[in-house]
Amino acid sequence: MTTAGAAPAVALVGIHGHGGAHLRRIRDLEARGVVRLSALVDPRPLETDEVPATGGPGGPRHGSAAAGDGAPWFPTLGDLLSAPEPEVRPDIVVLSTPIPTHVPLASAAMRAGLDVLLEKPTAASLAEHTALVAVAEETGRLCQVGFQTFGSHALTAVDRLIADGEIGDVTGVGAVGLWVRTTAYWARAPWAGKRQLDGRDVVDGVVTNPLAHAVATGLRIAGATRSADVAGVDVDLYRANPIEADDTSSVRVTTADGMRCGFGLTLCAPERTPARILIHGTRGRIELAYETDRVRLVTDSVDLEKQYSRDDLLENLVAARSTPGRPLACDVRDTGAFMRVMEAVRTAPDPRSIDPAHVDWAGEGDERHPVVRDVAAWCEEVAAQGRTFAELGAPWTHA
């Protein structure tokens, strides 16, 4: 554990794939004196350009900056927590691990007295989310969830524009996500594209993983963060890839105060374009390109666009640790509304396969990917009208 006044010690659990981005960010914060990397945890140590050295706590150490720059490696979180060396004991764990492991690992960390930054999605089911919130309340530990957009100052700007009546009364919130995922993406891990694996829920589809930020951010803007803020969820799930989960879906969420949110999302677009949140009003609209924190205000008299910055979620967690009462940017409790959508996807019938007559294939080998015809236009309609693909009559929804 870290002594008073020193930078908190951070352990990264899950060091491959997206874990590499977390490692780079931890090292950036370490260079500024915000945190100290105390350990790397993964069944498989880093392998690229490493110079292993024997000895030291937990097994091999890795010498290059890309490989952790000397941070001790442990195969499991349990191995780390049971290590006798005080210098490897973290104050915070960053969890970048498969979805089914989120709740058991985060719970174990909090019960060990640690604070947590947990990759999204929070959990694989609403029941798991409820259990995780209970652990956070029982232990009093902080649990931040990795919806990076919740740290964006653009959200504050959007809230202000709405409160100031710049677009009149808000009539609906939507999101359009037009992304591309290749064959290599679905082959990257055993759980990729699965609804279940080894009898456990995974729920790895477009709504709940790649474009989960679109859903969570849209709900946040609509005033829905907790589970009770959602009155109903309708999901309409399809797949063009040979996977279990959905890759082209529409979702309608009705909030507790009657706001309707429509999400048109696909991983089968002709090309990847920035995902957008759309806030419709009686006198105009607001567009949030949440990946780049850009806000555009469009009315009869104004068309303005502005760039905003965002707070890093790990840095925000560190600040909350040192300032009692300071809220987290994305507290685990504030992902309850998103988990209502996750639960609706989890319990829905398996996604329907899109007839090949409506699908073209592009690319070769690992870069091969399906393109659902006219999918961009249909996703725009979902976001504009708050209706599902089936309700709108998209051709691939016909039996």
Side-chain angles (χ1 to χ4, degrees):
M1 283 285 190
T2 299
T3 58
V10 176
L12 174 60
V13 183
I15 59 180
H16 301 283
H18 188 60
H22 282 289
L23 178 56
R24 289 189 293 273
R25 186 58 184 149
I26 291 168
R27 282 306 191 191
D28 288 343
L29 293 176
E30 186 173 49
R32 292 168 42 202
V34 176
V35 300
R36 175 179 65 84
L37 179 62
S38 68
L40 301 175
V41 179
D42 199 286
R44 179 167 57 93
L46 287 166
E47 298 168 349
T48 56
D49 300 322
E50 298 165 350
V51 182
T54 57
R61 292 173 179 262
H62 303 278
S64 71
D69 196 18
W73 165 76
F74 297 83
T76 71
L77 179 60
D79 291 325
L80 170 60
L81 296 179
S82 62
E85 296 83 1
E87 66 271 17
V88 304
R89 176 79 175 185
D91 302 289
I92 298 168
V93 293
V94 177
L95 298 176
S96 182
T97 60
I99 298 166
T101 69
H102 285 190
V103 171
L105 289 177
S107 298
M110 287 190 284
R111 288 199 168 105
L114 313 180
D115 295 318
V116 175
L117 172 57
L118 174 64
E119 249 311 330
K120 58 81 185 165
T122 316
S125 70
L126 188 58
E128 284 192 350
H129 175 264
T130 300
L132 188 60
V133 169
V135 173
E137 293 177 347
E138 165 199 329
T139 61
R141 305 315 307 179
L142 300 176
C143 183
Q144 177 107 284
V145 178
F147 284 110
Q148 299 101 321
T149 52
F150 280 42
S152 175
H153 299 175
L155 291 185
T156 305
V158 169
D159 290 342
R160 187 181 308 116
L161 290 171
I162 293 171
D164 290 346
E166 293 289 347
I167 58 171
D169 296 329
V170 175
T171 58
V173 175
V176 177
L178 305 172
W179 283 12
V180 174
R181 287 293 185 265
T182 64
T183 299
Y185 174 82
W186 301 114
R188 76 192 190 282
W191 53 267
K194 294 289 196 299
R195 285 172 66 80
Q196 286 194 330
L197 182 65
D198 298 330
R200 298 189 64 183
D201 290 317
V202 176
V203 202
D204 178 45
V206 61
V207 175
T208 54
N209 199 0
L211 282 160
H213 287 92
V215 177
T217 308
L219 292 174
R220 154 71 174 76
I221 290 171
T225 55
R226 306 291 174 104
S227 176
D229 296 333
V230 173
V233 181
D234 298 294
V235 299
D236 190 27
L237 312 176
Y238 302 89
R239 57 179 178 84
N241 284 279
I243 58 175
E244 293 179 6
D246 57 310
D247 57 34
T248 299
S249 295
S250 54
V251 177
R252 177 177 52 242
V253 177
T254 304
T255 68
D257 61 5
M259 182 69 66
R260 189 158 71 171
C261 307
F263 305 97
L265 312 171
T266 187
L267 302 177
C268 303
E271 60 181 357
R272 189 191 194 283
T273 58
R276 293 172 292 130
I277 310 297
L278 308 173
I279 303 95
H280 309 287
T282 54
R283 296 206 307 266
R285 72 181 187 275
I286 301 168
E287 299 180 6
L288 167 62
Y290 66 78
E291 298 170 81
T292 54
D293 305 305
R294 297 190 70 84
V295 175
R296 182 184 179 194
L297 172 65
V298 181
T299 69
D300 289 340
S301 58
V302 170
D303 190 339
L304 298 174
E305 191 169 0
K306 186 174 180 180
Q307 175 83 47
Y308 292 87
S309 61
R310 68 169 61 180
D311 295 332
D312 176 79
L313 293 186
L314 179 55
E315 194 166 7
N316 173 263
L317 173 58
V318 171
R321 282 172 48 88
S322 62
T323 309
R326 177 169 178 166
L328 293 170
C330 189
D331 190 286
V332 63
R333 300 163 184 83
D334 292 329
T335 63
F338 170 79
M339 286 305 306
R340 288 287 300 275
V341 176
M342 182 97 170
E343 184 73 0
V345 173
R346 184 184 75 85
T347 58
D350 288 345
R352 288 174 52 188
S353 179
I354 296 176
D355 191 314
H358 301 291
V359 180
D360 299 312
W361 285 83
E364 300 291 338
D366 286 347
E367 296 304 308
R368 193 166 185 260
H369 61 92
V371 177
V372 176
R373 292 176 193 165
D374 300 323
V375 70
W378 290 108
C379 287
E380 294 282 354
E381 287 299 308
V382 171
Q385 299 190 39
R387 300 169 66 195
T388 67
F389 290 140
E391 291 169 341
L392 291 166
W396 65 82
T397 67
H398 301 163

